[in-house]
Amino acid sequence: MSCSKPSHFDHFSGGSVAGATITVPSPDISNRVSTNGYLHLFTLLRISETNYKQHRRTPSSSSTLTYSARDDDDGMEPQVFAEQPSVKLCCQLCCSVFKDPVITTCGGSQPHTFCRRCALTSEKCPVDNSKLTVVVNNIAVAEQIGELFIHCKYGCRPAASGKPGAFEVDPLGCPFTIKLSTRKDHEVSCDYRPVRCPNNPNCPPLLTMNLEAHLKDCTFIGNQDTYETHLEVCKFEGLKEFLQQTDDRFHEMQVTLAQKDQDISFLRSMLGKLSEKLDQLEKNLELKFDVLDENQSKLSEDLMEFRRDASMLNDELSHINARLNMGILGSYDPQQIFKCKGTFVGHQGPVWCLCVYSTGDLLFSGSSDKSIKVWDTCTTYKCQKTLEGHDGIVLALCIQGNKLYSGSADCTIIVWDIQTLQKVNTIRAHDNPVCTLVSSHNMLFSGSLKAIKVWDIVGTELKLKKELTGLNHWVRALVASQNHLYSGSYQTIKVRTEDIIEYSIAVTNHHIVCGTYENLIHVWDIESKEQVRTLTGHVGTVYALAVISTPDQTKVFSASYDRSLRVWSMDNMICTQTLLRHQGSVTALAVSRGRLFSGAVDSTVKVWTC
């Protein structure tokens, strides 16, 4: 008889020259293993070396598998993916994961990737409907596919649905998942690979892992000739001692490996605990740093506030000492001390301008929230209405007759009817924000960047009469008094064509009072245009000035970036009171019937009376 598998053991199916059948007992398994057992030994060594490259299937994963079968060169072979492959790794022609992907060209502007067999057999591209031409292997896609995990083919079985070419996971088969690129290496040495008994061809098929146990009870069957031929190719006798030593060494390695696995598990557990403690310490440290930064910031703010208040108190003491030395302490008449009587709250942004309509006791305030609020200052002391119409910050307010004029950063002037509190007209006034407004003799004056426009008021219309130029900066303040127009720009005040100075302006019967960026208030004689006094005390830019005149005295109020208001007696040019109630820079002032109104960056308007 001829040998069917000469690689290890020859297989015989009966008959010999002598016509006799020889039965050879199987060697003692404690000292012998078959050649296939020798192969199994190296299989186990290989698996132990690559146990970090392969993954054992878990029961939970077996219920979420996808199935695919590919027509390999050697026939239909199971290919079950551990996870559903991305559609980007599937050929559009065969709708399966790419096998030997190639880059092709067709009539389109972009190349496509298909399986080589699909590209060679398909007549047209499914994307561009043009003839396909193979250009080059798509190595990048092939590498991605090679990294996909599949189940060992000896752990798969035909699908229960009976669909040809469909496979599913066999729970009794090989439990390993391996990368597609390494499947051959694994499957060649897989414990679940079917083998034939080398001693008796009539034995049923066995798994590689069961061959050694099978050979304990299986005897060699054949005649004298086949037995001698079998001994010529059987290498077991010479390897017996070596295999025994190898088995012993392998057992020692398994014990050592198990111990190392326990040590690694313990170290990983300790590392996890240390990581948790480190994370907790980092969080606690960050929290403490945040609290420290917050406390430091609060202390810095409190210190700055304390220094500011101390500076103001020192200034007040200096003024009191000066007044004592001058013998004019009688100026501090309790009847003339201004006190905060209330606060109007409602704006959602800083208040930049105020205007009083004395006939109806209405106060108008303009804010960064683009609105104008109307406050009742006589009966209800509440907001009567919110006027909305501007698309920018409201910077200026002015009243002429029964009309309210508002200027904004949106470069427009809006005309409002005070009786109905409705918008009646909108004028595109300047190319830049309208910073200030003032009215006199049925004319309206508007200030912007390096320009003042003069408007004739005709009903609800504004007719441009003239534009005054020659200014060097933004026009911050305008005052119309006794047929004169006073304009304040950066370091300059113009009285028609005569230069004087600064930022904010107020005019009394005898003086021009000017607030500056340098925290000073300059007082000029209205007739001679000469400076007569400089008032000090503020520690921030003087944003606004207002005047209350009575037959007995004239008081000037100043509002500053330093969050304070000061009351100045123009009889002796001395600060008689400092008002501290705002939480932000004071930006606007208005007076009516002996009352003072102040608007600030803290979005409030405060009312001051004696």
Side-chain angles (χ1 to χ4, degrees):
M1 300 295 290
S2 60
C3 180
S4 61
K5 285 192 178 181
S7 59
H8 297 293
F9 292 91
D10 292 335
H11 291 200
F12 301 89
S13 57
S16 67
V17 176
T21 301
I22 299 174
T23 301
V24 181
S26 176
D28 184 3
I29 296 304
S30 64
N31 298 316
R32 299 171 180 268
V33 292
S34 68
T35 303
N36 282 327
Y38 174 65
L39 176 61
H40 174 57
L41 168 65
F42 286 93
T43 299
L44 293 176
L45 288 174
R46 183 177 185 85
I47 291 175
S48 67
E49 292 173 356
T50 60
N51 62 346
Y52 291 107
K53 299 180 181 179
Q54 299 178 352
H55 304 273
R56 184 173 295 274
R57 182 177 70 234
T58 60
S60 61
S61 64
S62 62
S63 61
T64 59
L65 300 175
T66 58
Y67 310 93
S68 174
R70 299 305 307 263
D71 187 10
D72 291 352
D73 296 336
D74 56 349
M76 189 69 70
E77 191 170 59
Q79 184 168 292
V80 180
F81 289 93
E83 295 182 358
Q84 182 67 42
S86 170
V87 295
K88 296 182 180 179
L89 299 179
C90 296
C91 176
Q92 297 186 48
L93 291 172
C94 63
C95 300
S96 296
V97 175
F98 287 112
K99 179 174 178 61
D100 191 12
V102 294
I103 299 175
T104 65
T105 59
C106 55
S109 59
Q110 297 293 333
H112 308 294
T113 299
F114 301 103
C115 299
R116 180 182 292 276
R117 180 179 296 178
C118 296
L120 293 176
T121 57
S122 178
E123 296 181 357
K124 293 183 179 180
C125 173
V127 180
D128 304 303
N129 201 29
S130 301
K131 181 63 177 178
L132 292 174
T133 302
V134 176
V135 177
V136 68
N137 290 339
N138 195 329
I139 299 175
V141 172
E143 291 178 350
Q144 292 183 56
I145 295 174
E147 293 297 314
L148 297 177
F149 281 89
I150 65 170
H151 291 271
C152 174
K153 71 178 181 181
Y154 301 119
C156 302
R157 66 186 180 188
S161 63
K163 181 179 178 181
F167 296 90
E168 64 183 8
V169 174
D170 183 0
L172 301 178
C174 178
F176 288 103
T177 58
I178 65 272
K179 291 185 179 179
L180 184 59
S181 59
T182 62
R183 70 176 298 178
K184 295 298 182 184
D185 295 336
H186 168 79
E187 291 171 353
V188 163
S189 58
C190 181
D191 284 349
Y192 290 82
R193 181 173 62 88
V195 294
R196 301 294 301 184
C197 175
N199 292 337
N200 187 355
N202 295 325
C203 290
L206 302 169
L207 297 181
T208 301
M209 70 174 74
N210 299 327
L211 181 60
E212 182 177 349
H214 172 76
L215 291 176
K216 290 181 179 181
D217 303 321
C218 183
T219 58
F220 176 78
I221 299 177
N223 55 28
Q224 185 65 37
D225 294 337
T226 58
Y227 174 68
E228 293 177 356
T229 304
H230 174 74
L231 289 179
E232 291 178 359
V233 298
C234 180
K235 299 179 181 180
F236 175 77
E237 290 295 331
L239 293 174
K240 177 177 65 175
E241 183 177 358
F242 169 74
L243 292 176
Q244 181 61 44
Q245 294 175 354
T246 304
D247 279 340
D248 295 341
R249 180 59 180 164
F250 179 68
H251 178 71
E252 293 176 1
M253 291 175 62
Q254 283 184 318
V255 173
T256 303
L257 183 61
Q259 183 62 39
K260 296 297 183 184
D261 286 340
Q262 292 180 359
D263 294 342
I264 291 174
S265 298
F266 174 75
L267 292 175
R268 284 179 176 172
S269 175
M270 294 299 296
L271 181 60
K273 293 180 180 179
L274 289 175
S275 297
E276 292 178 359
K277 291 182 179 179
L278 182 60
D279 291 340
Q280 186 64 36
L281 289 174
E282 288 180 350
K283 291 180 181 178
N284 293 338
L285 187 61
E286 290 178 357
L287 180 61
K288 290 180 180 179
F289 274 126
D290 291 342
V291 173
L292 182 62
D293 290 341
E294 183 178 353
N295 291 339
Q296 185 176 2
S297 177
K298 185 66 169 61
L299 288 173
S300 297
E301 293 178 359
D302 292 344
L303 181 60
M304 292 179 62
E305 181 69 20
F306 173 76
R307 288 176 176 174
R308 186 181 295 112
D309 293 343
S311 176
M312 292 181 181
L313 290 174
N314 288 333
D315 291 342
E316 288 296 318
L317 290 175
S318 297
H319 288 303
I320 292 174
N321 288 332
R323 295 172 63 81
L324 288 171
N325 293 333
M326 296 173 63
I328 54 173
L329 186 59
S331 298
Y332 282 95
D333 185 351
Q335 298 297 325
Q336 298 300 318
I337 298 299
F338 280 83
K339 298 180 181 179
C340 182
K341 295 297 184 180
T343 302
F344 292 132
V345 179
H347 279 296
Q348 302 302 311
V351 177
W352 295 109
C353 52
L354 297 171
C355 186
V356 177
Y357 181 60
S358 57
T359 303
D361 286 313
L362 297 178
L363 174 68
F364 299 90
S365 58
S367 170
S368 289
D369 60 15
K370 305 177 184 179
S371 71
I372 303 168
K373 289 192 177 291
V374 185
W375 308 93
D376 181 351
T377 66
C378 184
T379 56
T380 64
Y381 302 99
K382 295 182 180 179
C383 179
Q384 300 296 319
K385 189 173 183 179
T386 299
L387 308 181
E388 297 178 338
H390 282 293
D391 295 328
I393 298 171
V394 181
L395 296 171
L397 293 171
C398 174
I399 290 177
Q400 176 69 29
N402 62 351
K403 298 294 188 295
L404 172 69
Y405 299 88
S406 59
S408 169
D410 62 13
C411 309
T412 66
I413 297 175
I414 293 182
V415 184
W416 309 84
D417 188 305
I418 296 179
Q419 303 300 323
T420 62
L421 297 177
Q422 297 293 328
K423 179 173 67 175
V424 294
N425 197 6
T426 302
I427 297 93
R428 177 76 181 187
H430 290 271
D431 295 330
N432 294 288
V434 180
C435 296
T436 181
L437 293 171
V438 68
S439 63
S440 179
H441 297 85
N442 211 35
M443 290 186 296
L444 181 71
F445 303 89
S446 60
S448 184
L449 178 62
K450 299 182 181 181
I452 300 173
K453 288 188 178 182
V454 183
W455 309 84
D456 279 332
I457 300 175
V458 182
T460 60
E461 299 291 333
L462 294 179
K463 303 295 183 181
L464 182 61
K465 181 177 182 180
K466 186 178 182 180
E467 182 173 0
L468 307 178
T469 58
L471 297 161
N472 65 343
H473 210 271
W474 291 96
V475 179
R476 298 289 186 181
L478 285 174
V479 175
S481 176
Q482 300 178 359
N483 298 321
H484 290 81
L485 176 67
Y486 301 86
S487 63
S489 184
Y490 184 70
Q491 295 183 338
T492 303
I493 289 180
K494 286 186 175 289
V495 185
R496 298 196 174 182
T497 60
E498 299 177 15
D499 289 351
I500 306 180
I501 11 181
E502 339 277 336
Y503 187 99
S504 53
I505 307 173
V507 179
T508 70
N509 293 332
H510 306 289
H511 300 99
I512 304 171
V513 186
C514 315
T516 73
Y517 288 93
E518 290 78 20
N519 315 334
L520 303 175
I521 300 174
H522 296 308
V523 182
W524 300 77
D525 185 273
I526 200 168
E527 297 295 336
S528 65
K529 307 300 187 293
E530 294 181 357
Q531 184 175 348
V532 296
R533 187 68 63 88
T534 296
L535 307 180
T536 62
H538 281 297
V539 292
T541 300
V542 181
Y543 281 141
L545 295 167
V547 178
I548 293 181
S549 294
T550 64
D552 299 330
Q553 58 182 341
T554 299
K555 292 184 180 295
V556 171
F557 302 89
S558 58
S560 171
Y561 174 82
D562 63 16
R563 304 193 299 179
S564 73
L565 294 88
R566 286 182 177 263
V567 185
W568 306 87
S569 172
M570 298 309 292
D571 297 334
N572 47 30
M573 305 292 179
I574 290 177
C575 176
T576 61
Q577 191 178 357
T578 300
L579 309 178
L580 293 170
R581 291 295 292 273
H582 281 290
Q583 300 302 311
S585 304
V586 187
T587 57
L589 296 174
V591 294
S592 174
R593 300 184 181 181
R595 297 172 297 176
L596 173 67
F597 302 94
S598 60
V601 174
D602 60 12
S603 307
T604 66
V605 178
K606 292 190 180 294
V607 185
W608 309 84
T609 61
C610 293

